[in-house]
Amino acid sequence: MSYQVFARKYRPKTFADVLGQDHVVRTLSNAIAQNRLAHAYLFVGPRGTGKTSTARILAKALNCTGGPKIDFDPDEDICQEIAEGRSLDVLEIDGASNNGVEQVRDLRESVRFSPARGQFKIYYIDEVHMLSNAAFNALLKTLEEPPPHVKFIFATTEANKILPTIISRCQRFDLRPIPTETIAAHLQHIAAEEGITLEATAAWAIAKGADGGMRDAQSMLDQLVAFCGETITEANVLDIFGFTSREKVAQLTGCLLSRETPAALSLIQKEAETGRELSQLLGELIGCLRALLVAKLDPTADGEGIPADLWNALLEAADEYPPDRILAAIDVFAETEGRMKWATNKRLHFELGVIKSIQTLGEVRITDVIKVLTRGADFIPVPEPRPVQTEQTPPSAPASTAAPEEPAPVEATTSETPTDAPPATPEPEPEPESAAPAPPATIVVESEPKRSKPIGGAIGALDSLIAAAPEESEPPAAPEPAPWEEPKKAAEPEPAPAAAPIDDAFHQDPLIQSALEKFEGKILR
């Protein structure tokens, strides 16, 4: 007997053998058990996820002896015929080579005949999206109302190329990429059946490189057995397929988080010189950054297969970055991945992406400034409440008071020096209510001669001083002379009153001097 590759030798035979597609298996099993069978099924999914295998298992369940039933015997002759593709009642058609109207016309004529052995006549069309629009339109009527003994099963990797009128007539099942852990475990099972020693790290590397496709993983394992023999290590996997180890991915991620640009560029150079696939390395790097981002949002998330010690070190290095900064780095690498897909010099674009991502991680944003200012505001002393300050002001103070930073006025006698007196406010003093004159020596002075006062405040203080000065120096008022005697008294001025003139300290007052300078005035004695 000729050699059979692992992908064919270990193809699923029953619903229980289908891995990673529990939602499809459960739906089909329930439909068979409840006798709710549709006339057309559409299986959509990436390569190697089990579309053809599931279609054959469904055909076995429908045409097995005593069927339809779920627990059929895969070793009976009719099931063997279906598995090997030689059953007269199950026709497998390649959509790429039979995509014309003539082939669809032949199919429409053959559906009228009853099945030869089983209960149903099943037409399985693989890569159905390759049919032309004319072929699809020719199949519409037959697909909508087929004979009771006819079932259609379609499989495709590109459902967007199928006419909506075809999809609406089928029950659609989307097959998902198989998880990495499931593929690695199945590879270990195959290795045990074949008597091969497969390291767990090697199985994980193969499953990671298969990218969700079981058939790809089985083909890679077959190739490794031919190269390595009975013992397969992770180093063998990395050397043959150009994959990058998880340690290298973690090391490159650590260089990014620590913003060590020379170390990161040196690592990329070494990987390129050893023949590693840079696109695969970039994909692994994006996956590691995504795992870090998810771990910051969900602490229970795993490390995408990275060893525990390396994963913990990456988590500690990522603590200083908020999630939005790591997300920005992922965006940079996503753009780089799009450019590398069509570029001839992939290393150049990879290095540019690394440099730009490191700059993105280290840049200062406005959100960082706001956070720092918010934290610093907690240490600033809180000023006293405003109502306490308003209670200290006199209730009778007018609205046109001076600026609040100036001190309140203080009265001082003429015996005190001007420099020792406290500052005065520009408020005009209220006129005395009684006839008794104010004390003659009471004046208002400024404690800071060099500070400029508002003009209105200086005039008000000057008026109050002038109003007090006549009361201090003039004698009791004499009878007013007649109008015709005024020239005579002007010609013969009387001597000054016996009262002494105003003291020189009054003239030297800084407020008086400032008023004289502002209004260009002079003192008349």
Side-chain angles (χ1 to χ4, degrees):
M1 184 177 179
S2 61
Y3 174 75
Q4 248 187 345
V5 296
F6 292 157
R8 295 184 58 189
K9 185 177 181 179
Y10 294 95
R11 182 188 292 271
K13 298 179 180 180
T14 62
F15 285 117
D17 297 336
V18 179
L19 301 177
Q21 311 298 341
D22 297 337
H23 61 293
V24 177
V25 172
R26 180 178 179 181
T27 305
L28 294 177
S29 300
N30 292 340
I32 294 173
Q34 300 173 11
N35 197 19
R36 301 177 62 89
L37 298 174
H39 62 275
Y41 295 91
L42 174 62
F43 295 147
V44 181
R47 68 184 188 278
T49 54
K51 297 184 296 296
T52 302
S53 299
T54 306
R56 289 180 178 177
I57 293 172
L58 177 59
K60 294 176 186 178
L62 295 179
N63 279 354
C64 66
T65 304
K69 61 181 180 179
I70 305 171
D71 52 346
F72 58 88
D73 184 11
D75 295 329
E76 64 176 340
D77 54 352
I78 188 172
C79 293
Q80 290 287 344
E81 292 178 359
I82 295 174
E84 296 173 3
R86 50 188 179 86
S87 175
L88 297 179
D89 295 334
V90 180
L91 302 179
E92 295 188 9
I93 302 173
D94 180 18
S97 57
N98 299 276
N99 56 359
V101 180
E102 293 79 6
Q103 288 81 9
V104 175
R105 186 179 295 113
D106 296 339
L107 187 149
R108 290 177 55 186
E109 293 178 357
S110 64
V111 297
R112 297 179 298 176
F113 301 102
S114 300
R117 185 176 179 182
Q119 298 188 26
F120 299 98
K121 198 163 189 176
I122 302 172
Y123 292 88
Y124 172 66
I125 303 179
D126 194 12
E127 301 298 333
V128 69
H129 65 273
M130 299 297 293
L131 295 180
S132 62
N133 290 340
F136 274 130
N137 292 328
L139 187 61
L140 282 178
K141 190 62 178 177
T142 304
L143 184 62
E144 184 176 9
E145 297 178 355
H149 61 272
V150 174
K151 302 293 181 185
F152 288 98
I153 302 177
F154 301 142
T156 180
T157 56
E158 302 180 28
N160 58 308
K161 295 184 179 181
I162 303 178
L163 294 181
T165 52
I166 296 292
I167 296 178
S168 64
R169 288 168 168 81
C170 304
Q171 285 190 6
R172 174 171 173 170
F173 294 88
D174 289 272
L175 281 74
R176 305 163 184 168
I178 303 175
T180 305
E181 297 83 359
T182 305
I183 297 178
H186 188 61
L187 292 179
Q188 292 280 16
H189 169 72
I190 295 176
E193 292 289 332
E194 297 291 331
I196 299 171
T197 302
L198 178 64
E199 293 183 356
T201 55
W204 181 272
I206 297 173
K208 195 72 175 177
D211 195 19
M214 182 65 76
R215 184 174 62 240
D216 292 354
Q218 293 172 344
S219 300
M220 292 165 62
L221 179 62
D222 214 343
Q223 184 177 349
L224 285 167
V225 171
F227 177 78
C228 305
E230 296 182 354
T231 303
I232 301 174
T233 62
E234 184 183 12
N236 301 137
V237 179
L238 302 181
D239 291 338
I240 292 179
F241 300 106
F243 297 155
T244 304
S245 64
R246 292 170 292 176
E247 289 77 12
K248 291 292 184 180
V249 175
Q251 183 180 356
L252 180 57
T253 307
C255 294
L256 290 178
L257 296 177
S258 58
R259 299 199 293 271
E260 297 178 358
T261 306
L265 297 180
S266 176
L267 194 150
I268 294 174
Q269 179 183 1
K270 293 179 181 179
E271 292 296 310
E273 290 176 354
T274 54
R276 298 288 187 262
E277 180 62 35
L278 294 182
S279 298
Q280 191 266 344
L281 175 60
L282 179 57
E284 294 284 345
L285 179 60
I286 294 176
C288 185
L289 290 176
R290 172 199 165 274
L292 288 175
L293 178 62
V294 174
K296 294 182 75 67
L297 302 177
D298 182 13
T300 61
D302 58 355
E304 292 290 334
I306 299 177
D309 52 346
L310 298 177
W311 177 246
N312 293 331
L314 291 179
L315 288 178
E316 293 179 1
D319 285 342
E320 61 175 301
Y321 299 104
D324 59 342
R325 197 62 54 84
I326 298 179
L327 182 61
I330 294 177
D331 290 339
V332 172
F333 283 123
E335 296 176 0
T336 304
E337 188 177 26
R339 292 194 297 266
M340 287 178 60
K341 186 178 295 184
W342 309 106
T344 55
N345 192 353
K346 296 184 178 181
R347 175 182 168 183
L348 172 62
H349 291 278
F350 196 176
E351 292 174 343
L352 292 178
V354 167
I355 295 173
K356 187 175 180 181
S357 64
I358 291 177
Q359 293 177 352
T360 302
L361 290 174
E363 67 184 4
V364 178
R365 300 186 177 183
I366 186 64
T367 54
D368 301 331
V369 178
I370 294 175
K371 290 179 181 178
V372 172
L373 294 178
T374 304
R375 294 173 184 173
D378 298 336
F379 301 96
I380 298 177
V382 180
E384 297 182 0
R386 186 175 296 272
V388 176
Q389 296 180 358
T390 54
E391 290 177 0
Q392 294 177 357
T393 57
S396 60
S400 60
T401 57
E405 65 271 7
E406 296 182 4
V410 179
E411 293 184 353
T413 58
T414 54
S415 61
E416 297 177 352
T417 58
T419 57
D420 295 335
T425 58
E427 302 176 1
E429 296 181 358
E431 296 182 3
E433 298 179 358
S434 60
T442 301
I443 59 174
V444 180
V445 297
E446 285 285 342
S447 62
E448 297 181 3
K450 294 183 179 180
R451 179 179 296 180
S452 60
K453 299 290 294 179
I455 297 178
I459 295 176
L462 183 59
D463 290 342
S464 62
L465 292 175
I466 293 175
E471 295 179 357
E472 176 186 4
S473 58
E474 292 182 1
E480 186 177 359
W484 56 83
E485 295 180 357
E486 188 173 356
K488 180 178 179 180
K489 290 184 181 278
E492 298 177 359
E494 296 181 358
I502 300 175
D503 188 47
D504 292 338
F506 176 81
H507 301 148
Q508 299 299 328
D509 184 75
L511 182 60
I512 301 300
Q513 296 295 330
S514 175
L516 293 176
E517 291 178 2
K518 288 182 178 293
F519 299 99
E520 299 180 358
K522 61 183 179 177
I523 299 176
L524 300 178
R525 296 185 180 272

